[in-house]
Amino acid sequence: MATTVASLLSKKLDTGSSLIWLQCKPCNPCFPQNRPAFDPTTSSTYNALPCNHIFCQGPQYSCVNNQCNYTLSYVDTSTSKGVLSNESFSFLSDGSIETLNDVIFGCGYNNVQPHLEGDIDGVLGMNIGKLSLLAQMKDRVNSRFSYCLIPINAEPSGQSSFLRFGDDIVIQPRSRVQTTPFYMYNGNPHMYSVNLLDISVEDVWNGSGRHRTRYVYIET
């Protein structure tokens, strides 16, 4: 029986996609990464999902060797192909470890990712889709998250990126935070959409409020 070997992973946060995936061993082709690719054979908590799984539905999924395979294509022409799986994910949370069991993710064995390299091991899908990390945690975090990201190649400055969920999100009473509601767009209900009233550049407004634009996607 395989023993679980912890793997340190860093992912690109993507609020425009749903599926969490990481590069798995063996892969061909692979994108260059500093750490070894995740090897599912070293984990006793890893499982490949069968073809009859409830989430193995839709044009991006297929059945190969009784396993649910996925194919992802992004607007920048990058792709990832692999096996829909589940695994235990652990997160460093204010000095302690939070573990989520049976997180559904893609184990990518065929990855064409010209924009991923170095410390990045895959993509953290965070849109409203049913397989995003947010959706899989919604009962624990009330579907709320907040983030502040610094460039991964930034010079060491004592700062770090953070990703907060649920009650960990605190807005101070006198803060300058402004809010706007999200709207559901039937054309793509998994995206974060807002109504665009106007745009300013260096405090100059362009007057687009006269021609309100609905359903503008917000994506990181």
Side-chain angles (χ1 to χ4, degrees):
M1 180 177 179
T3 57
T4 299
V5 177
S7 298
L8 178 64
L9 302 173
S10 295
K11 292 180 175 292
K12 174 185 176 183
L13 189 149
D14 184 10
T15 60
S17 66
S18 174
L19 184 64
I20 308 162
W21 67 267
L22 57 89
Q23 186 156 255
C24 289
K25 181 181 179 180
C27 55
N28 183 26
C30 315
F31 60 86
Q33 62 181 86
N34 293 337
R35 289 181 289 265
F38 173 67
D39 185 351
T41 64
T42 65
S43 174
S44 60
T45 52
Y46 169 86
N47 292 286
L49 298 185
C51 301
N52 61 355
H53 193 275
I54 187 173
F55 287 137
C56 190
Q57 301 178 19
Q60 69 189 66
Y61 301 106
S62 60
C63 185
V64 179
N65 297 327
N66 296 319
Q67 294 180 338
C68 181
N69 281 29
Y70 74 89
T71 298
L72 289 180
S73 299
Y74 296 90
V75 294
D76 64 356
T77 71
S78 61
T79 60
S80 177
K81 301 177 183 179
V83 177
L84 199 64
S85 314
N86 66 21
E87 177 61 288
S88 295
F89 279 51
S90 296
F91 302 88
L92 182 63
S93 176
D94 294 329
S96 61
I97 300 295
E98 294 272 351
T99 298
L100 300 177
N101 296 319
D102 299 322
V103 174
I104 297 176
F105 76 106
C107 208
Y109 296 105
N110 182 318
N111 307 300
V112 179
Q113 296 287 329
H115 305 299
L116 295 186
E117 62 180 10
D119 290 331
I120 300 297
D121 306 291
V123 170
L124 184 67
M126 286 289 289
N127 72 2
I128 313 176
K130 59 188 177 181
L131 287 181
S132 72
L133 179 64
L134 184 66
Q136 295 190 59
M137 296 173 59
K138 65 180 181 180
D139 292 336
R140 298 180 58 169
V141 302
N142 197 26
S143 298
R144 299 177 67 221
F145 75 100
S146 173
Y147 60 91
C148 181
L149 307 178
I150 63 173
I152 193 169
N153 57 353
E155 293 294 328
S157 61
Q159 297 179 317
S160 59
S161 300
F162 68 80
L163 177 61
R164 298 188 182 278
F165 296 93
D167 293 338
D168 282 346
I169 303 170
V170 178
I171 299 177
Q172 300 299 328
R174 294 187 177 183
S175 68
R176 299 177 61 186
V177 173
Q178 295 181 328
T179 64
T180 188
F182 286 127
Y183 291 87
M184 298 299 294
Y185 173 45
N186 291 335
N188 194 336
H190 298 157
M191 300 292 288
Y192 300 102
S193 303
V194 297
N195 280 351
L196 177 64
L197 300 180
D198 210 335
I199 296 175
S200 68
V201 178
E202 295 183 349
D203 295 325
V204 177
W205 296 87
N206 72 357
S208 62
R210 293 172 297 179
H211 308 285
R212 177 180 295 187
T213 303
R214 300 191 66 188
Y215 308 128
V216 175
Y217 295 150
I218 303 297
E219 181 179 347
T220 299

